[in-house]
């Protein structure tokens, strides 16, 4: 079954404790992306990756890191989480063709609370 | 001003009504995406458009590139259509910019 998986689904942590949210897709997609969703602000892009070893900042990259060492995985790293990073996070992937990506497939979301 | 504006923000209708959700954007785009977010949080892609019109079941999406406007229509609406509908545009350069979403409630 084609899918994007994220782990963990729920996480409560404390300020400053490094954490990683994993994202994996089994569709051999080139494009992967991380978003955060906050009430009243909608979804905002954190980072995206066009292919292995190619990553770019989205609209809200501060406080986050990513890596793309393998095509299927795109982990999101919070080196020193702060309460303003409490949010719902989505990973997504898609095929790339021409000058844009095709429809995105989304993971189930990770609800992160930083106290 | 947001680069992607959706209207209305909230919409409540009776079962069977014809629904229209609008999306306007102010940037150059390569394509526009309509998505649906279920009450449980999951996001599903509905349509990807770069011109014209697409139809899938009771859902129809149109886009007018010159006017920078897109509409999502639902015919014969049903309570299971209740969700948040989100418009997002692929800005030239592989960034996806999201609208704030339209919360739709269909009452039986």
């Amino acid at each position: 079954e084609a899918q994007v998986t994220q782990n963990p689904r729920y996480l409560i942590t404390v300020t400053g404790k490094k954490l990683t949210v994993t994202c994996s897709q089994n569709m051999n997609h080139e494009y992967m992306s991380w978003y955060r969703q906050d009430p009243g602000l909608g979804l905002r892009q954190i980072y995206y990756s066009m292919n292995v070893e190619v990553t770019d900042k989205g609209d809200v990259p501060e406080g986050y890191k990513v890596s793309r060492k393998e095509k299927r995985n795109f982990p999101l790293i919070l080196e020193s989480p702060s309460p303003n990073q409490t949010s719902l996070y989505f990973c997504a992937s898609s095929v790339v063709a021409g000058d844009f990506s095709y429809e995105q497939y989304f993971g189930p979301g990770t609800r992160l609370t930083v106290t | 001003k947001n680069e992607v504006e959706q209207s209305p923000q909230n919409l409540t209708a009776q079962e069977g009504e014809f629904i229209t959700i609008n999306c306007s954007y102010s940037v150059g785009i390569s394509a526009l995406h309509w998505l649906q977010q279920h009450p449980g949080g999951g996001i599903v892609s509905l349509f990807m458009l770069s011109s014209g019109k697409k139809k899938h079941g009771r859902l129809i999406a149109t886009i007018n590139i010159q006017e920078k406007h897109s509409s999502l229509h639902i015919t014969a609406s049903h309570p299971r259509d209740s969700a948040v509908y989100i418009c997002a545009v692929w800005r030239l350069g592989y960034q996806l910019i999201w609208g704030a979403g339209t919360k739709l409630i269909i009452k039986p």
Side-chain angles (χ1 to χ4, degrees):
Chain A
E1 181 192 349
Q3 60 181 350
V4 179
T5 56
Q6 290 179 232
N7 281 293
R9 293 289 312 279
Y10 302 91
L11 179 59
I12 300 173
T13 190
V14 296
T15 299
K17 186 177 181 183
K18 181 179 178 179
L19 66 92
T20 299
V21 184
T22 64
C23 173
S24 184
Q25 49 93 6
N26 62 1
M27 296 166 279
N28 202 37
H29 285 168
E30 298 92 350
Y31 185 97
M32 296 186 75
S33 182
W34 276 103
Y35 303 96
R36 61 178 288 175
Q37 185 176 33
D38 302 289
L41 295 176
L43 281 106
R44 294 177 292 170
Q45 190 172 42
I46 303 170
Y47 271 95
Y48 63 98
S49 170
M50 294 299 298
N51 214 323
V52 176
E53 302 292 0
V54 180
T55 63
D56 269 301
K57 295 177 180 178
D59 294 316
V60 287
E62 296 77 20
Y64 303 95
K65 284 175 59 176
V66 293
S67 69
R68 188 91 182 271
K69 292 185 169 56
E70 305 165 278
K71 201 170 188 180
R72 64 182 292 125
N73 296 323
F74 191 45
L76 180 69
I77 302 156
L78 285 72
E79 295 269 2
S80 183
S82 62
N84 65 11
Q85 293 178 297
T86 292
S87 188
L88 178 59
Y89 292 86
F90 288 99
C91 178
S93 73
S94 64
V95 171
V96 174
D99 60 356
F100 64 92
S101 168
Y102 283 105
E103 65 175 289
Q104 299 219 309
Y105 292 79
F106 285 83
T110 294
R111 189 166 292 281
L112 173 66
T113 301
V114 183
T115 61
Chain B
K1 186 179 186 297
N2 293 334
E3 292 170 303
V4 180
E5 299 269 3
Q6 280 187 242
S7 62
Q9 280 187 299
N10 295 284
L11 179 56
T12 300
Q14 290 296 131
E15 183 173 356
E17 286 187 37
F18 182 81
I19 304 298
T20 295
I21 300 170
N22 295 300
C23 176
S24 296
Y25 54 92
S26 59
V27 296
I29 70 167
S30 51
L32 182 143
H33 210 155
W34 281 104
L35 305 105
Q36 179 191 55
Q37 187 168 25
H38 298 292
I43 299 176
V44 174
S45 171
L46 298 175
F47 295 105
M48 210 63 165
L49 293 165
S50 54
S51 65
K53 176 179 174 179
K54 286 190 177 180
K55 185 175 189 291
H56 186 258
R58 294 180 295 105
L59 300 177
I60 304 165
T62 64
I63 188 168
N64 185 317
I65 296 292
Q66 287 73 29
E67 293 185 6
K68 296 188 173 180
H69 181 268
S70 176
S71 293
L72 176 69
H73 305 286
I74 305 174
T75 62
S77 58
H78 190 276
R80 66 174 174 267
D81 296 325
S82 298
V84 176
Y85 292 83
I86 306 171
C87 166
V89 299
W90 282 107
R91 186 164 58 190
L92 301 170
Y94 294 105
Q95 276 195 284
L96 194 60
I97 308 172
W98 298 75
T102 295
K103 185 174 181 179
L104 174 66
I105 298 172
I106 303 296
K107 293 186 174 180

